[in-house]
Amino acid sequence: MGSNASTLLRDEEIQEIEEQTGFSHKQILRLYSRFTSLDKTSSGRLGRSDLLRIPELAVNPLGDRIIQSFFADSPDGNIDFKKFMKTLAIFRPIRKSDGPGAVNSVENKLKFAFKMYDLDGDDKISKDELLVVLEMMVGNNITDDQLGLIADRTIKESDQDNVGHITFENFSKALERNDPGQMMSIRFLN
């Protein structure tokens, strides 16, 4: 299938994707093969149901939120290979050659993580949003009261401006000691 993938993807497209994402030629071909195997209709586009066939996303408690991020700028609910690669590139490990504006920069990784919690897209994480995401992550393993206490404590510890919610700046400060560049990276085969 690898040779089939290379004939369907033009060299100019591969080079453009390399420049935009930092993935190697070989990685792009491998991921294109994966993309085409998910594309059951051979339309060159994937929908949400196609991404749900990725086992790691299907079992991830935040899988639906991650999948939703692929379609953020997609009015028709489908993505092409380039959009697929741009979203995956956020999770590419940071290399010394990556500049501060790289798609996989620590700041972009943090923005992605922040959006996982900012359910209404208002650039702040409220206690209610935090509760919804925490419930997604832990399911029925702890009580609503315990979830409420965790959310209250998280807001209190992260809300340096004392405004009752978490801003992106405070979110970033709270996570910077945990090495988000490493924490939000996936190793892609070469």
Side-chain angles (χ1 to χ4, degrees):
M1 183 164 216
S3 62
N4 183 29
S6 64
T7 60
L8 298 174
L9 203 56
R10 294 187 331 264
D11 285 336
E12 306 85 54
E13 291 174 303
I14 294 171
Q15 186 175 352
E16 181 183 342
I17 293 168
E18 279 181 88
E19 291 169 6
Q20 291 176 349
T21 66
F23 282 113
S24 71
H25 186 93
K26 194 173 182 180
Q27 288 171 321
I28 293 168
L29 292 179
R30 185 181 304 269
L31 289 165
Y32 187 71
S33 178
R34 178 70 173 165
F35 180 90
T36 57
S37 71
L38 291 169
D39 180 14
K40 298 298 182 194
T41 62
S42 300
S43 65
R45 300 181 65 74
L46 298 178
R48 285 176 167 75
S49 61
D50 297 315
L51 293 182
L52 280 170
R53 286 197 294 274
I54 300 172
E56 295 82 0
L57 287 176
V59 299
N60 186 319
L62 295 178
D64 198 45
R65 293 286 302 147
I66 294 168
I67 288 171
Q68 189 175 341
S69 70
F70 278 87
F71 301 95
D73 302 324
S74 175
D76 70 349
N78 292 295
I79 56 167
D80 62 11
F81 182 64
K82 287 181 184 178
K83 175 64 177 156
F84 178 75
M85 291 300 291
K86 285 179 184 177
T87 304
L88 282 181
I90 294 167
F91 298 100
R92 188 176 57 75
I94 298 171
R95 297 184 301 236
K96 290 179 185 177
S97 60
D98 292 328
V103 70
N104 65 326
S105 68
V106 170
E107 182 175 357
N108 284 338
K109 289 177 185 292
L110 287 169
K111 284 179 182 176
F112 183 90
F114 184 81
K115 287 178 184 178
M116 292 294 103
Y117 290 89
D118 182 17
L119 302 176
D120 62 9
D122 65 353
D123 294 327
K124 57 187 173 192
I125 301 170
S126 68
K127 178 182 175 182
D128 289 340
E129 289 171 314
L130 190 55
L131 282 169
V132 169
V133 175
L134 287 172
E135 191 171 327
M136 285 180 204
M137 292 171 29
V138 298
N140 295 327
N141 293 324
I142 63 175
T143 68
D144 289 344
D145 289 340
Q146 290 170 317
L147 276 178
L149 290 172
I150 292 169
D152 286 336
R153 183 175 173 193
T154 302
I155 297 280
K156 184 178 179 183
E157 289 177 3
S158 301
D159 181 15
Q160 300 299 311
D161 306 321
N162 216 17
V163 292
H165 58 263
I166 303 171
T167 63
F168 175 71
E169 292 76 23
N170 290 333
F171 181 83
S172 298
K173 286 178 188 172
L175 288 181
E176 69 185 7
R177 65 182 169 265
N178 294 322
D179 192 9
Q182 179 67 31
M183 191 172 61
M184 291 186 59
S185 293
I186 299 171
R187 297 272 175 232
F188 294 91
L189 298 175
N190 286 323

